[in-house]
Amino acid sequence: HTFPNHTSLIHIGHSFEGRKLTGVKIAKPEPNSLEKKERKGFVILGAQHAREWIATSTALYLAHALAVNASLQTSADSHHSLSHLLDKFEFHIIPLPNPDGHEYTRKHDRLWYKNRQTVSPGRGKEACKGIDMNRNWGFEWSPAQDPSSDPCKHWFPGSRPFEAHEVNALTSYLTYRTGGLGKVVAFLDLRSYGQTLSAPFSYSCDVYPGDAEDQIEAALGAAQASSKVHGITFSSGRLCETLYSAPGNIVDWAYAEAGIKYTYAAHLRDTGTYGYLLPAEFIRPTGEETAALVAYLAAFIAKDPKTM
């Protein structure tokens, strides 16, 4: 209710345990037919992996930076405002796509990774909990190979694509409720940790996207813009190179199936000193660095006539 003119809550679906999947849409009213063409969509996703708390915190920071007009902030904060981006984009921000896993990290196991969906019994074990949401997307999905085919294993990708309740709900939202093919032009999957900005593909380094040149050029500039904020080094490349090859990744699906040209995974602070247990005092600087990254990407994409 703080910013009723340009923010609205979006209901995406429910988790396996029945918690709401909620996001926020931040957009100015659409221009009328005599004005400029409609604004394009920019989607930002928080932590699919439950233990990556900084991804959720950063998604919330970005939502605030977009919602608050720079003129209403102090001079020290105004340069971090992203409200000017609403002139060309509408933003869909989903801070907590894995609410069950997040709740489990708060009360039981801080380093829990997957969602909390009950899956088939492991070898000689009772029913296991959890699907790795970021290996459950339908593009180039593949069943886990031994020994990770055990559903109790860390990276269990599910027994079929889109099996995870949350992935299914997110797919429906991104496919049918963001304006249709061509409306969304940018997608950013926030993660931790590693300080990298990565373009498709994740499933293989043997294949290059048709838009690889534009994707990598934008990523290089965005990583440099992020590095300049606090002097923290960020690198860029393809996700199969900056991390490792993995099938069923949301970045691959968003590009190849949802048709979103500028699709990235942003691994935030740090590089391993604290890892997933990043102290609270780093929330704000991480948000500021990521705001610079988003601002650069938006400016780059706005100049692409084939996209806008």
Side-chain angles (χ1 to χ4, degrees):
H1 300 290
T2 305
F3 308 104
N5 293 330
H6 51 278
T7 63
S8 57
L9 290 179
I10 47 180
H11 177 60
I12 296 164
H14 289 85
S15 69
F16 175 76
E17 295 181 342
R19 294 182 176 88
K20 289 183 179 181
L21 298 180
T22 303
V24 59
K25 180 179 177 180
I26 307 173
K28 289 183 176 179
E30 287 294 347
N32 61 45
S33 58
L34 298 178
E35 295 179 314
K36 299 177 182 179
K37 53 187 177 181
E38 67 176 6
R39 297 173 180 89
K40 295 292 188 175
F42 197 130
V43 176
I44 298 173
L45 191 68
Q48 289 189 85
H49 295 148
R51 65 190 181 188
E52 298 173 11
W53 286 11
I54 190 61
T56 292
S57 300
T58 301
L60 293 170
Y61 179 96
L62 294 173
H64 185 265
L66 286 160
V68 177
N69 191 300
S71 64
L72 301 179
Q73 295 183 304
T74 66
S75 58
D77 294 333
S78 61
H79 65 289
H80 294 299
S81 172
L82 298 177
S83 61
H84 63 285
L85 301 183
L86 301 181
D87 292 335
K88 294 185 179 294
F89 298 92
E90 65 177 36
F91 283 80
H92 303 252
I93 300 181
I94 306 164
L96 197 61
N98 181 7
D100 297 347
H102 179 77
E103 186 69 8
Y104 195 76
T105 62
R106 291 181 62 248
K107 294 184 176 179
H108 301 284
D109 179 355
R110 174 63 181 82
L111 295 177
W112 181 259
Y113 185 76
K114 303 182 286 183
N115 72 357
R116 292 293 298 166
Q117 190 163 330
T118 301
V119 294
S120 58
R123 297 185 183 124
K125 302 176 183 177
E126 297 180 356
C128 301
K129 286 282 190 179
I131 294 171
D132 180 349
M133 289 172 55
N134 209 24
R135 290 177 184 245
N136 193 234
W137 295 82
F139 182 75
E140 293 294 335
W141 177 88
S142 66
Q145 303 298 317
D146 288 336
S148 59
S149 56
D150 185 339
C152 292
K153 293 294 185 180
H154 193 63
W155 287 304
F156 179 62
S159 57
R160 63 184 184 277
F162 306 113
E163 180 181 3
H165 283 223
E166 300 83 359
V167 170
N168 205 330
L170 290 165
T171 301
S172 179
Y173 180 79
L174 294 171
T175 303
Y176 301 111
R177 296 174 56 199
T178 53
L181 189 66
K183 171 70 171 181
V184 177
V185 297
F187 177 86
L188 186 63
D189 181 33
L190 299 177
R191 299 186 59 183
S192 76
Y193 54 89
Q195 296 171 195
T196 60
L197 182 63
S198 307
F201 285 115
S202 170
Y203 81 95
S204 174
C205 279
D206 296 332
V207 182
Y208 281 83
D211 298 298
E213 183 175 356
D214 287 346
Q215 291 170 340
I216 295 300
E217 181 182 354
L220 178 61
Q224 291 174 343
S226 186
S227 298
K228 291 178 181 177
V229 177
H230 294 294
I232 300 297
T233 301
F234 286 82
S235 59
S236 61
R238 292 184 296 160
L239 188 51
C240 62
E241 299 166 329
T242 59
L243 191 59
Y244 44 70
S245 295
N249 191 285
I250 192 172
V251 167
D252 292 358
W253 177 87
Y255 173 72
E257 296 292 338
I260 304 172
K261 178 178 177 179
Y262 292 97
T263 299
Y264 301 97
H267 285 77
L268 308 175
R269 292 199 190 193
D270 55 9
T271 56
T273 301
Y274 296 104
Y276 304 111
L277 305 179
L278 197 69
E281 62 260 31
F282 294 110
I283 291 175
R284 179 163 184 153
T286 301
E288 292 168 349
E289 291 160 352
T290 312
L293 183 153
V294 169
Y296 184 94
L297 285 178
F300 185 98
I301 295 168
K303 296 177 184 177
D304 182 349
K306 294 179 291 184
T307 300
M308 298 297 286

